[in-house]
Amino acid sequence: MYMREIRINSTTGNEIVTTQEAKDYIRVDNSADDSLISRMITQARIWCENFISSDIVAKNRTYYVKELNQGQYYYDEYKAPRLQLPFGPVASIESVTTDGNTATYEIKGLNNEIIELKDGSAKEIKVEYITSGLNDSLVKQAILQTVSTYYDNRADFVTGTIVSDIPTGAKDILNSYKKMFV
């Protein structure tokens, strides 16, 4: 059994959807609900990030794994342990330590999300890294659709109607971004 943890140290980027864009999308023309809509944008973005296992807004993160075993993580032909970082794309690696000591590593993968440990140690691994976030029109659309659903369904129930948790359209849009990280 292995233990892993991930922590957001800070959110360094800004929301990719503005309050005004959300208001225009959901057809709100007054400022009475601006703070509510702003919070819903953040909630929708967090839901979308968790759905696709990628950061939409740039963050500083720490990832910790107690021990890498060959059956749990993959190794290359030289038996160097590799660790895949969650919630990329990774903009930069700030530090990698094993057993509290600075580790020698190589960054691999299309989005710099794979760390290959060169010193062979695979215990008490801690990686501090910065993600760059995603910002494109499909991700913005998914956030807008989710905000619209949140705004239209502000209660746990609606009498005489069927309410779904998340709009199917947002899930369909985000499916192409989705990663499996378990």
Side-chain angles (χ1 to χ4, degrees), residues 62-116:
T62 300
Y63 186 57
Y64 170 82
V65 178
K66 182 155 177 78
E67 183 174 12
L68 294 180
N69 294 321
Q70 193 161 357
Q72 296 160 338
Y73 290 86
Y74 58 95
Y75 288 63
D76 70 4
E77 63 273 11
Y78 303 107
K79 302 296 184 219
R82 288 185 175 187
L83 174 70
Q84 183 170 358
L85 300 174
F87 289 93
V90 175
S92 65
I93 305 293
E94 301 299 300
S95 68
V96 179
T97 60
T98 59
D99 290 326
N101 300 311
T102 301
T104 305
Y105 63 92
E106 187 176 333
I107 300 169
K108 299 198 174 220
L110 295 175
N111 291 314
N112 300 323
E113 296 171 348
I114 299 170
I115 301 291
E116 183 178 274

Side-chain angles (χ1 to χ4, degrees), residues 44-182:
R45 187 249 314 147
I46 290 169
W47 182 89
C48 290
E49 286 176 332
N50 288 330
F51 184 77
I52 64 175
S53 298
S54 291
D55 283 342
I56 295 168
V57 172
K59 294 180 186 60
N60 177 307
R61 290 183 173 270
T62 300
Y63 186 57
Y64 170 82
V65 178
K66 182 155 177 78
E67 183 174 12
L68 294 180
N69 294 321
Q70 193 161 357
Q72 296 160 338
Y73 290 86
Y74 58 95
Y75 288 63
D76 70 4
E77 63 273 11
Y78 303 107
K79 302 296 184 219
R82 288 185 175 187
L83 174 70
Q84 183 170 358
L85 300 174
F87 289 93
V90 175
S92 65
I93 305 293
E94 301 299 300
S95 68
V96 179
T97 60
T98 59
D99 290 326
N101 300 311
T102 301
T104 305
Y105 63 92
E106 187 176 333
I107 300 169
K108 299 198 174 220
L110 295 175
N111 291 314
N112 300 323
E113 296 171 348
I114 299 170
I115 301 291
E116 183 178 274
L117 299 171
K118 293 299 183 184
D119 54 11
S121 178
K123 294 183 181 189
E124 299 285 332
I125 301 159
K126 185 173 158 184
V127 181
E128 293 188 30
Y129 61 104
I130 309 287
T131 61
S132 58
L134 301 171
N135 185 354
D136 67 35
S137 58
L138 288 175
V139 173
K140 284 178 93 166
Q141 182 64 30
I143 292 171
L144 287 169
Q145 285 186 358
T146 306
V147 168
S148 177
T149 298
Y150 288 168
Y151 189 78
D152 291 342
N153 302 289
R154 286 175 263 179
D156 285 341
F157 62 91
V158 177
T159 305
T161 344
I162 297 173
V163 179
S164 61
D165 291 335
I166 293 298
T168 303
K171 286 182 180 180
D172 290 342
I173 289 169
L174 293 172
N175 272 333
S176 64
Y177 294 91
K178 192 167 181 164
K179 294 186 225 175
M180 291 305 292
F181 189 84
V182 184

